[in-house]
Amino acid sequence: MSLNRYEQAIFDYWEKQTDERRHWIAKVTEMTRAQPAAEAARPLERELWEYFLERREHVPQLRGLEGMPRVSLLNLAEHLLRLWGPPPKPRKPGGQP
């Protein structure tokens, strides 16, 4: 999966900030309990954008991304759902869903 520079900056920031990472792991887990992962991507993307707007004022590596128009963080949302969401249900033998 290819992440844009905003998405990659957020993901890299979480690699160094374990508390932030744990928070988002818990959020993804909670969101996928309430709804299927496929339906959680858009709401998660909106939360990620709000998070980005709030954090870029305080985090030096995100601060350089100011003044840009709204960009999609949907790839990051989908990536997080694959990483931290429930595992996909196994397919039945014979290729039948």
Side-chain angles (χ1 to χ4, degrees):
M1 169 152 303
S2 178
L3 301 177
N4 66 39
R5 65 186 239 188
Y6 296 86
E7 294 166 323
Q8 190 64 54
I10 293 168
F11 196 76
D12 291 345
Y13 172 67
W14 289 341
E15 289 294 314
K16 297 174 186 161
Q17 301 297 321
T18 56
D19 289 340
E20 297 270 343
R21 183 181 179 92
R22 270 188 246 128
H23 167 78
W24 283 97
I25 290 171
K27 184 173 281 294
V28 167
T29 302
E30 183 179 319
M31 287 183 90
T32 54
R33 273 192 211 130
Q35 58 191 333
E39 294 175 17
R42 291 281 176 197
L44 180 59
E45 191 271 345
R46 286 189 290 274
E47 287 195 40
L48 286 166
W49 181 254
E50 291 173 12
Y51 168 79
F52 172 74
L53 292 177
E54 189 273 325
R55 295 305 296 155
R56 75 177 179 187
E57 296 177 18
H58 309 286
V59 177
Q61 72 188 71
L62 300 178
R63 194 174 296 137
L65 302 173
E66 290 183 59
M68 299 297 286
R70 169 103 162 65
V71 296
S72 174
L73 300 177
L74 189 57
N75 284 346
L76 179 58
E78 292 172 349
H79 182 61
L80 298 179
L81 289 167
R82 285 188 195 108
L83 281 176
W84 303 329
K89 294 180 181 179
R91 292 188 172 180
K92 293 181 181 179
Q96 300 279 331

